[in-house]
Amino acid sequence: NAGVTQTPKFQVLKTGQSMTLQCAQDMNHNSMYWYRQDPGMGLRLIYYSASEGTTDKGEVPNGYNVSRLNKREFSLRLESAAPSQTSVYFCASSDLPRDRGPENTEAFFGQGTRLTVV
Amino acid sequence: SQQGEEDPQALSIQEGENATMNCSYKTSINNLQWYRQNSGRGLVHLILIRSNEREKHSGRLRVTLDTSKKSSSLLITASRAADTASYFCGMDSSYKLIFGSGTRLLVRP
């Protein structure tokens, strides 16, 4: 199994350009997440999707949009990139159940997309 | 701002010593998870403790949770050079998984 796959691995954008980061998981997980990690910092949640068809804002959603295309795929779009969005972006998935049962499981992460906006 | 804070921010120990990292959080949680990150790669899950548990062990890892103080600790016993990495606590609440600021651990051979 591939787990969580992110594309691309590296990207350089000019200020004002747009792009979409792709994420796919093959573990049939309900929940998917997008995070950004700035140098020497922890991960900050941008958006998450608790299940197919739903998306919600995380800690730092401004400047981003997401689409939960189907159960496997969760994309992150930058409509007009800014230098402040230079970061490493991680996608993750987990099998948190819809009805919050007693069994909760860990998140699995992709290898990250290193984005530089110049 | 992040919902979780970890201390210390950085920790340097000798191989064979124990390493303790602490995590404090602000909201109620369903569970708390600890992850490891090597050199900017994706996080890897280490251990999960549910909100109704107080202590859990896995190999050389021991995690405690005090929901009244909204805090958790991760103990790595008999550390090895290969344990050098960043460690993050993740707070699971309301379908969200929020991470702390991390502890950078250096284990000197």
Side-chain angles (χ1 to χ4, degrees):
Chain A
N1 286 339
V4 179
T5 303
Q6 290 182 235
T7 56
K9 288 186 171 54
F10 301 92
Q11 184 72 48
V12 178
L13 289 179
K14 293 183 179 178
T15 297
Q17 285 186 318
S18 62
M19 80 161 293
T20 299
L21 281 66
Q22 307 286 352
C23 176
Q25 52 92 8
D26 61 4
M27 295 170 282
N28 201 37
H29 284 164
N30 290 316
S31 297
M32 297 186 73
Y33 313 86
W34 276 107
Y35 297 90
R36 62 175 287 172
Q37 184 177 32
D38 299 320
M41 303 282 288
L43 277 73
R44 291 184 291 171
L45 181 64
I46 304 172
Y47 270 93
Y48 64 103
S49 171
S51 62
E52 183 179 356
T54 69
T55 61
D56 286 285
K57 296 178 180 179
E59 301 170 281
V60 288
N62 291 346
Y64 305 94
N65 285 301
V66 291
S67 295
R68 183 74 182 267
L69 304 170
N70 46 56
K71 194 170 186 180
R72 288 188 65 247
E73 298 172 289
F74 188 38
S75 62
L76 177 72
R77 183 160 178 84
L78 287 70
E79 291 291 352
S80 179
S84 61
Q85 294 177 305
T86 293
S87 190
V88 180
Y89 292 83
F90 289 100
C91 177
S93 72
S94 68
D95 202 15
L96 298 178
R98 177 186 292 273
D99 295 318
R100 305 306 302 164
E103 295 300 317
N104 302 308
T105 61
E106 70 270 24
F108 293 82
F109 281 78
Q111 288 305 298
T113 295
R114 281 156 180 77
L115 175 67
T116 302
V117 183
V118 297
Chain B
S1 63
Q2 299 198 221
Q3 293 296 314
E5 294 295 328
E6 294 179 60
D7 77 89
Q9 289 187 334
L11 181 61
S12 179
I13 59 175
Q14 203 72 35
E15 201 165 28
E17 294 180 338
N18 296 340
T20 299
M21 294 159 245
N22 303 294
C23 170
S24 60
Y25 57 93
K26 300 176 183 177
T27 62
S28 61
I29 59 171
N30 297 303
N31 64 63
L32 189 140
Q33 304 173 28
W34 285 89
Y35 289 78
R36 166 191 171 127
Q37 183 182 41
N38 287 88
S39 301
R41 299 176 67 85
L43 274 64
V44 175
H45 179 262
L46 294 174
I47 191 168
L48 178 154
I49 185 166
R50 298 189 177 91
S51 59
N52 61 354
E53 296 177 314
R54 292 297 168 258
E55 186 171 315
K56 200 164 183 180
H57 297 256
S58 177
R60 293 186 296 114
L61 305 179
R62 172 179 171 259
V63 64
T64 62
L65 179 65
D66 186 335
T67 53
S68 66
K69 295 181 179 178
K70 290 188 167 57
S71 67
S72 175
S73 67
L74 173 69
L75 169 67
I76 304 175
T77 61
S79 63
R80 306 166 181 168
D83 293 329
T84 294
S86 292
Y87 293 81
F88 296 91
C89 61
M91 285 70 66
D92 166 23
S93 68
S94 303
Y95 295 100
K96 291 187 289 190
L97 185 57
I98 304 291
F99 286 91
S101 49
T103 294
R104 295 186 304 279
L105 174 65
L106 171 65
V107 181
R108 304 186 305 274

